[in-house]
Amino acid sequence: MTNPRFQILLAQHYGMCFGVRDALTEAERVASRRPATILGELVHNEAVRERLSKAGALEGQLEGESASTADVIVTAHGASDRDRRRWKNAGYRVTDTTCPLVRKAHVVLARLVLEGCTPVVIGKRGHVEVRGLTGDFPGAHVVLNEPEVEALPFSRRFGVVAQTTQPIDRVEDVLEKIRRRHPDAEVVFKDTVCHPTKARQKALETLCQEVDFVLVVGGHNSNNSRQLVEKARRNGCRSERVTRSGEIRAEWFSDTRVVGVTAGTSTLEESVEEIVVHLESLGGRRKVLPRPNAAAAFSGKKLAV
Ligand code: SF4
């Protein structure tokens, strides 16, 4: 079947953020020098996992009791101080690749607790970053959907932060629901959604005005890639998520004029390039060449948290 020609448009901001890039560089550096175990998935991306596996890194569990190497690596998603201390006290050499913006969310939440607030995290229950955020505060609440907000017990003062990769419009919506649920409470909100997530979400909104179909390149268990697909659909575009070119179905583009491409914050540039090259092989023509990613142009290590 000959596919009709379509244009390929890349989002202004897409793909790997500085937090993931720095974590990956550090984990590869450690694993190439001595045996090391990553405590969980460094990031939710299969290509990154393969790359780390090639560098010799093993995978373990943050909540586990032991690892088969003397070196362990805390992932970009972070960990509670309790877990970090537990591994150190057990004699392991701990390399911490927590993203500075996740660390900042921890600091902000701790300050809110010190100020007497009941801690609340707007985020996905069970997500590793959220587990890390709440791990030092047994009384913390995690809310995202209506029933979770309804179940939030009254407090005179709530201190609210967000999982760094939640879309800000969703966070604001949940915040409004909390305020409506507890009109007599003071709700102190600190916006901890990271700016690379905001930049990718914003760029997607712009992209959706120009395309019919949005292809999101990202891991199957990546929260922010899933959020990008949902947002594209809410903005009136058909959208699918793929990790590799082999998952692409040519019929998706049979009545498509322009295909937009974006990628989650844990997606490697080479994965995006592989997808674009495959789209070209299906008759697509690249309208705009990938531009340097402004959010990736600096290192989070320079940020004060
Ligand atoms: S998505 Fe945001 S918080 Fe997560 S690693 Fe990237 S910059 Fe850091």
Side-chain angles (χ1 to χ4, degrees):
M1 184 179 94
T2 309
N3 290 289
R5 291 190 71 82
F6 52 86
Q7 287 190 315
I8 305 163
L9 192 58
L10 282 138
Q12 186 82 30
H13 294 282
Y14 66 86
M16 189 166 280
C17 59
F18 72 85
V20 171
R21 185 198 60 204
D22 289 355
L24 180 57
T25 304
E26 183 64 2
E28 281 184 316
R29 189 188 67 78
V30 172
S32 63
R33 290 183 181 178
R34 44 189 191 260
T37 302
I38 299 173
L39 299 174
E41 286 183 31
L42 191 80
V43 290
H44 300 312
N45 183 284
E46 292 83 351
V48 171
R49 287 176 77 188
E50 275 171 27
R51 203 164 126 176
L52 286 163
S53 168
K54 274 190 199 140
L58 305 175
E59 260 187 32
Q61 293 295 324
L62 179 64
E63 286 87 3
E65 294 296 321
S66 63
S68 57
T69 60
D71 274 77
V72 295
I73 300 173
V74 171
T75 73
H77 298 296
S80 65
D81 285 345
R82 202 176 51 175
D83 274 333
R84 208 178 273 108
R85 253 196 322 270
R86 196 166 53 77
W87 283 96
K88 275 188 184 152
N89 291 345
Y92 291 92
R93 195 161 37 213
V94 178
T95 299
D96 192 350
T97 70
T98 304
C99 171
L101 298 183
V102 173
R103 224 163 42 228
K104 183 178 170 185
H106 280 251
V107 171
V108 168
L109 189 62
R111 272 187 204 142
L112 288 169
V113 171
L114 270 178
E115 288 166 12
C117 295
T118 299
V120 177
V121 177
I122 298 177
K124 192 163 180 253
R125 193 178 290 270
H127 186 281
V128 59
E129 180 193 319
V130 174
R131 290 206 308 271
L133 272 169
T134 55
D136 293 321
F137 308 106
H141 302 278
V142 180
V143 294
L144 193 59
N145 55 37
E146 196 92 43
E148 285 166 348
V149 173
E150 282 301 309
L152 192 61
F154 178 77
S155 164
R156 279 216 297 276
R157 201 159 185 244
F158 291 108
V160 186
V161 300
Q163 182 182 350
T164 55
T165 50
Q166 286 294 330
I168 188 65
D169 44 1
R170 188 171 192 186
V171 169
E172 283 166 354
D173 182 53
V174 176
L175 197 58
E176 188 48 38
K177 287 191 170 95
I178 295 171
R179 291 195 163 117
R180 276 207 307 269
R181 172 81 180 88
H182 294 294
D184 297 330
E186 183 188 355
V187 180
V188 184
F189 171 60
K190 301 289 178 189
D191 180 3
T192 50
V193 175
C194 74
H195 48 82
T197 291
K198 285 178 180 163
R200 280 149 189 73
Q201 292 264 337
K202 188 84 196 139
L204 176 59
E205 274 174 27
T206 309
L207 187 71
C208 285
Q209 291 166 13
E210 300 179 53
V211 307
D212 316 293
F213 191 105
V214 174
L215 209 51
V216 177
V217 190
H220 287 301
N221 51 357
S222 155
N223 183 56
N224 73 77
S225 296
R226 191 171 44 246
Q227 304 285 4
L228 290 170
V229 172
E230 286 172 10
K231 190 172 189 96
R233 289 178 181 162
R234 278 202 305 278
N235 279 267
C237 291
R238 288 174 291 129
S239 183
E240 297 290 341
R241 179 178 39 156
V242 292
T243 53
R244 293 205 162 78
S245 57
E247 296 166 21
I248 292 175
R249 302 222 297 269
E251 61 266 28
W252 287 344
F253 316 118
S254 55
D255 58 350
T256 301
R257 252 178 346 102
V258 190
V259 176
V261 178
T262 185
T265 49
S266 50
T267 303
L268 295 164
E269 179 62 28
E270 56 248 46
S271 301
V272 178
E273 186 58 22
E274 182 207 325
I275 297 296
V276 173
V277 167
H278 186 75
L279 289 175
E280 287 173 327
S281 77
L282 294 174
R285 192 172 43 231
R286 204 185 296 227
K287 192 174 168 193
V288 179
L289 290 173
R291 288 177 285 254
N293 193 332
F298 65 93
S299 168
K301 285 182 182 139
K302 292 175 191 147
L303 291 171
V305 293

PDB file of all heavy atoms in Angstrom, residues 282-303:
ATOM      1  N   LEU A 282       7.511   6.119   5.625  1.00  0.00           N
ATOM      2  CA  LEU A 282       6.092   5.891   5.320  1.00  0.00           C
ATOM      3  C   LEU A 282       5.531   6.992   4.428  1.00  0.00           C
ATOM      4  O   LEU A 282       4.327   7.045   4.187  1.00  0.00           O
ATOM      5  CB  LEU A 282       5.280   5.833   6.625  1.00  0.00           C
ATOM      6  CG  LEU A 282       5.573   4.671   7.561  1.00  0.00           C
ATOM      7  CD1 LEU A 282       4.797   4.830   8.862  1.00  0.00           C
ATOM      8  CD2 LEU A 282       5.232   3.340   6.903  1.00  0.00           C
ATOM      9  N   GLY A 283       6.379   7.896   3.984  1.00  0.00           N
ATOM     10  CA  GLY A 283       5.924   8.966   3.088  1.00  0.00           C
ATOM     11  C   GLY A 283       5.833  10.318   3.766  1.00  0.00           C
ATOM     12  O   GLY A 283       5.367  11.278   3.158  1.00  0.00           O
ATOM     13  N   GLY A 284       6.259  10.417   5.006  1.00  0.00           N
ATOM     14  CA  GLY A 284       6.227  11.705   5.709  1.00  0.00           C
ATOM     15  C   GLY A 284       7.390  12.588   5.301  1.00  0.00           C
ATOM     16  O   GLY A 284       8.430  12.093   4.872  1.00  0.00           O
ATOM     17  N   ARG A 285       7.191  13.890   5.433  1.00  0.00           N
ATOM     18  CA  ARG A 285       8.291  14.815   5.152  1.00  0.00           C
ATOM     19  C   ARG A 285       8.470  15.713   6.370  1.00  0.00           C
ATOM     20  O   ARG A 285       7.498  16.330   6.843  1.00  0.00           O
ATOM     21  CB  ARG A 285       7.994  15.657   3.912  1.00  0.00           C
ATOM     22  CG  ARG A 285       9.229  16.416   3.415  1.00  0.00           C
ATOM     23  CD  ARG A 285       8.996  17.086   2.080  1.00  0.00           C
ATOM     24  NE  ARG A 285       7.700  17.731   2.004  1.00  0.00           N
ATOM     25  CZ  ARG A 285       6.828  17.548   1.015  1.00  0.00           C
ATOM     26  NH1 ARG A 285       7.114  16.737   0.017  1.00  0.00           N
ATOM     27  NH2 ARG A 285       5.680  18.174   1.017  1.00  0.00           N
ATOM     28  N   ARG A 286       9.691  15.795   6.837  1.00  0.00           N
ATOM     29  CA  ARG A 286       9.975  16.567   8.045  1.00  0.00           C
ATOM     30  C   ARG A 286       9.843  18.057   7.741  1.00  0.00           C
ATOM     31  O   ARG A 286      10.523  18.568   6.870  1.00  0.00           O
ATOM     32  CB  ARG A 286      11.413  16.249   8.466  1.00  0.00           C
ATOM     33  CG  ARG A 286      11.717  16.463   9.911  1.00  0.00           C
ATOM     34  CD  ARG A 286      13.180  16.250  10.192  1.00  0.00           C
ATOM     35  NE  ARG A 286      13.650  14.883   9.959  1.00  0.00           N
ATOM     36  CZ  ARG A 286      14.409  14.201  10.826  1.00  0.00           C
ATOM     37  NH1 ARG A 286      14.757  14.755  11.955  1.00  0.00           N
ATOM     38  NH2 ARG A 286      14.819  12.991  10.531  1.00  0.00           N
ATOM     39  N   LYS A 287       8.944  18.709   8.471  1.00  0.00           N
ATOM     40  CA  LYS A 287       8.715  20.125   8.181  1.00  0.00           C
ATOM     41  C   LYS A 287       9.743  21.004   8.896  1.00  0.00           C
ATOM     42  O   LYS A 287      10.261  21.957   8.342  1.00  0.00           O
ATOM     43  CB  LYS A 287       7.306  20.524   8.623  1.00  0.00           C
ATOM     44  CG  LYS A 287       6.867  21.875   8.120  1.00  0.00           C
ATOM     45  CD  LYS A 287       5.420  22.110   8.493  1.00  0.00           C
ATOM     46  CE  LYS A 287       5.001  23.560   8.269  1.00  0.00           C
ATOM     47  NZ  LYS A 287       3.722  23.847   8.898  1.00  0.00           N
ATOM     48  N   VAL A 288      10.019  20.668  10.131  1.00  0.00           N
ATOM     49  CA  VAL A 288      10.987  21.465  10.905  1.00  0.00           C
ATOM     50  C   VAL A 288      12.005  20.506  11.484  1.00  0.00           C
ATOM     51  O   VAL A 288      11.645  19.497  12.075  1.00  0.00           O
ATOM     52  CB  VAL A 288      10.277  22.220  12.056  1.00  0.00           C
ATOM     53  CG1 VAL A 288      11.283  23.022  12.869  1.00  0.00           C
ATOM     54  CG2 VAL A 288       9.191  23.116  11.497  1.00  0.00           C
ATOM     55  N   LEU A 289      13.266  20.830  11.328  1.00  0.00           N
ATOM     56  CA  LEU A 289      14.300  19.974  11.900  1.00  0.00           C
ATOM     57  C   LEU A 289      14.284  20.120  13.419  1.00  0.00           C
ATOM     58  O   LEU A 289      13.929  21.184  13.931  1.00  0.00           O
ATOM     59  CB  LEU A 289      15.672  20.378  11.362  1.00  0.00           C
ATOM     60  CG  LEU A 289      15.894  20.061   9.884  1.00  0.00           C
ATOM     61  CD1 LEU A 289      17.205  20.653   9.418  1.00  0.00           C
ATOM     62  CD2 LEU A 289      15.889  18.549   9.652  1.00  0.00           C
ATOM     63  N   PRO A 290      14.675  19.056  14.154  1.00  0.00           N
ATOM     64  CA  PRO A 290      14.698  19.176  15.610  1.00  0.00           C
ATOM     65  C   PRO A 290      15.590  20.339  16.031  1.00  0.00           C
ATOM     66  O   PRO A 290      16.671  20.519  15.498  1.00  0.00           O
ATOM     67  CB  PRO A 290      15.305  17.849  16.082  1.00  0.00           C
ATOM     68  CG  PRO A 290      15.136  16.930  14.936  1.00  0.00           C
ATOM     69  CD  PRO A 290      15.110  17.749  13.693  1.00  0.00           C
ATOM     70  N   ARG A 291      15.071  21.137  16.956  1.00  0.00           N
ATOM     71  CA  ARG A 291      15.859  22.264  17.446  1.00  0.00           C
ATOM     72  C   ARG A 291      16.477  21.894  18.773  1.00  0.00           C
ATOM     73  O   ARG A 291      15.982  21.013  19.459  1.00  0.00           O
ATOM     74  CB  ARG A 291      14.946  23.476  17.635  1.00  0.00           C
ATOM     75  CG  ARG A 291      14.507  24.087  16.326  1.00  0.00           C
ATOM     76  CD  ARG A 291      13.556  25.218  16.600  1.00  0.00           C
ATOM     77  NE  ARG A 291      12.271  24.664  16.987  1.00  0.00           N
ATOM     78  CZ  ARG A 291      11.215  24.668  16.177  1.00  0.00           C
ATOM     79  NH1 ARG A 291      11.310  25.188  14.985  1.00  0.00           N
ATOM     80  NH2 ARG A 291      10.080  24.151  16.568  1.00  0.00           N
ATOM     81  N   PRO A 292      17.547  22.606  19.153  1.00  0.00           N
ATOM     82  CA  PRO A 292      18.122  22.332  20.467  1.00  0.00           C
ATOM     83  C   PRO A 292      17.049  22.526  21.522  1.00  0.00           C
ATOM     84  O   PRO A 292      16.278  23.490  21.446  1.00  0.00           O
ATOM     85  CB  PRO A 292      19.227  23.377  20.630  1.00  0.00           C
ATOM     86  CG  PRO A 292      19.402  24.013  19.306  1.00  0.00           C
ATOM     87  CD  PRO A 292      18.206  23.702  18.463  1.00  0.00           C
ATOM     88  N   ASN A 293      17.011  21.633  22.473  1.00  0.00           N
ATOM     89  CA  ASN A 293      15.996  21.688  23.512  1.00  0.00           C
ATOM     90  C   ASN A 293      16.441  22.654  24.606  1.00  0.00           C
ATOM     91  O   ASN A 293      17.385  22.395  25.332  1.00  0.00           O
ATOM     92  CB  ASN A 293      15.813  20.275  24.072  1.00  0.00           C
ATOM     93  CG  ASN A 293      14.582  20.194  24.921  1.00  0.00           C
ATOM     94  OD1 ASN A 293      14.169  21.195  25.499  1.00  0.00           O
ATOM     95  ND2 ASN A 293      14.001  19.021  24.970  1.00  0.00           N
ATOM     96  N   ALA A 294      15.730  23.787  24.696  1.00  0.00           N
ATOM     97  CA  ALA A 294      16.152  24.831  25.641  1.00  0.00           C
ATOM     98  C   ALA A 294      16.215  24.310  27.070  1.00  0.00           C
ATOM     99  O   ALA A 294      17.126  24.636  27.821  1.00  0.00           O
ATOM    100  CB  ALA A 294      15.191  26.008  25.563  1.00  0.00           C
ATOM    101  N   ALA A 295      15.240  23.445  27.439  1.00  0.00           N
ATOM    102  CA  ALA A 295      15.204  22.967  28.833  1.00  0.00           C
ATOM    103  C   ALA A 295      16.367  22.039  29.130  1.00  0.00           C
ATOM    104  O   ALA A 295      16.748  21.844  30.273  1.00  0.00           O
ATOM    105  CB  ALA A 295      13.898  22.253  29.100  1.00  0.00           C
ATOM    106  N   ALA A 296      16.953  21.461  28.060  1.00  0.00           N
ATOM    107  CA  ALA A 296      18.055  20.530  28.286  1.00  0.00           C
ATOM    108  C   ALA A 296      19.405  21.236  28.232  1.00  0.00           C
ATOM    109  O   ALA A 296      20.434  20.639  28.428  1.00  0.00           O
ATOM    110  CB  ALA A 296      18.014  19.425  27.237  1.00  0.00           C
ATOM    111  N   ALA A 297      19.365  22.551  27.965  1.00  0.00           N
ATOM    112  CA  ALA A 297      20.623  23.239  27.713  1.00  0.00           C
ATOM    113  C   ALA A 297      21.368  23.628  28.984  1.00  0.00           C
ATOM    114  O   ALA A 297      22.438  24.165  28.929  1.00  0.00           O
ATOM    115  CB  ALA A 297      20.357  24.486  26.872  1.00  0.00           C
ATOM    116  N   PHE A 298      20.765  23.404  30.127  1.00  0.00           N
ATOM    117  CA  PHE A 298      21.502  23.691  31.356  1.00  0.00           C
ATOM    118  C   PHE A 298      21.367  22.528  32.298  1.00  0.00           C
ATOM    119  O   PHE A 298      20.502  21.676  32.141  1.00  0.00           O
ATOM    120  CB  PHE A 298      20.973  24.967  32.028  1.00  0.00           C
ATOM    121  CG  PHE A 298      19.568  24.849  32.518  1.00  0.00           C
ATOM    122  CD1 PHE A 298      19.309  24.458  33.818  1.00  0.00           C
ATOM    123  CD2 PHE A 298      18.496  25.101  31.668  1.00  0.00           C
ATOM    124  CE1 PHE A 298      18.007  24.342  34.260  1.00  0.00           C
ATOM    125  CE2 PHE A 298      17.199  24.985  32.114  1.00  0.00           C
ATOM    126  CZ  PHE A 298      16.952  24.609  33.405  1.00  0.00           C
ATOM    127  N   SER A 299      22.249  22.519  33.283  1.00  0.00           N
ATOM    128  CA  SER A 299      22.206  21.413  34.220  1.00  0.00           C
ATOM    129  C   SER A 299      21.462  21.806  35.474  1.00  0.00           C
ATOM    130  O   SER A 299      21.655  22.892  36.008  1.00  0.00           O
ATOM    131  CB  SER A 299      23.622  20.986  34.576  1.00  0.00           C
ATOM    132  OG  SER A 299      23.565  20.108  35.665  1.00  0.00           O
ATOM    133  N   GLY A 300      20.617  20.910  35.956  1.00  0.00           N
ATOM    134  CA  GLY A 300      19.872  21.159  37.188  1.00  0.00           C
ATOM    135  C   GLY A 300      20.792  21.282  38.385  1.00  0.00           C
ATOM    136  O   GLY A 300      20.394  21.812  39.417  1.00  0.00           O
ATOM    137  N   LYS A 301      22.053  20.826  38.247  1.00  0.00           N
ATOM    138  CA  LYS A 301      22.972  20.925  39.384  1.00  0.00           C
ATOM    139  C   LYS A 301      23.194  22.379  39.777  1.00  0.00           C
ATOM    140  O   LYS A 301      23.616  22.676  40.861  1.00  0.00           O
ATOM    141  CB  LYS A 301      24.299  20.268  39.025  1.00  0.00           C
ATOM    142  CG  LYS A 301      24.179  18.755  39.031  1.00  0.00           C
ATOM    143  CD  LYS A 301      25.473  18.102  38.720  1.00  0.00           C
ATOM    144  CE  LYS A 301      25.287  16.597  38.682  1.00  0.00           C
ATOM    145  NZ  LYS A 301      26.005  15.985  37.617  1.00  0.00           N
ATOM    146  N   LYS A 302      22.916  23.290  38.842  1.00  0.00           N
ATOM    147  CA  LYS A 302      23.139  24.707  39.136  1.00  0.00           C
ATOM    148  C   LYS A 302      21.954  25.311  39.883  1.00  0.00           C
ATOM    149  O   LYS A 302      22.001  26.440  40.294  1.00  0.00           O
ATOM    150  CB  LYS A 302      23.351  25.473  37.830  1.00  0.00           C
ATOM    151  CG  LYS A 302      24.649  25.088  37.148  1.00  0.00           C
ATOM    152  CD  LYS A 302      24.751  25.775  35.806  1.00  0.00           C
ATOM    153  CE  LYS A 302      25.900  25.180  35.013  1.00  0.00           C
ATOM    154  NZ  LYS A 302      25.632  25.182  33.592  1.00  0.00           N
ATOM    155  N   LEU A 303      20.871  24.557  40.014  1.00  0.00           N
ATOM    156  CA  LEU A 303      19.688  25.114  40.663  1.00  0.00           C
ATOM    157  C   LEU A 303      19.826  25.068  42.176  1.00  0.00           C
ATOM    158  O   LEU A 303      20.301  24.096  42.728  1.00  0.00           O
ATOM    159  CB  LEU A 303      18.449  24.297  40.284  1.00  0.00           C
ATOM    160  CG  LEU A 303      17.997  24.396  38.837  1.00  0.00           C
ATOM    161  CD1 LEU A 303      16.923  23.368  38.595  1.00  0.00           C
ATOM    162  CD2 LEU A 303      17.482  25.789  38.541  1.00  0.00           C
TER     163      LEU A 303
END
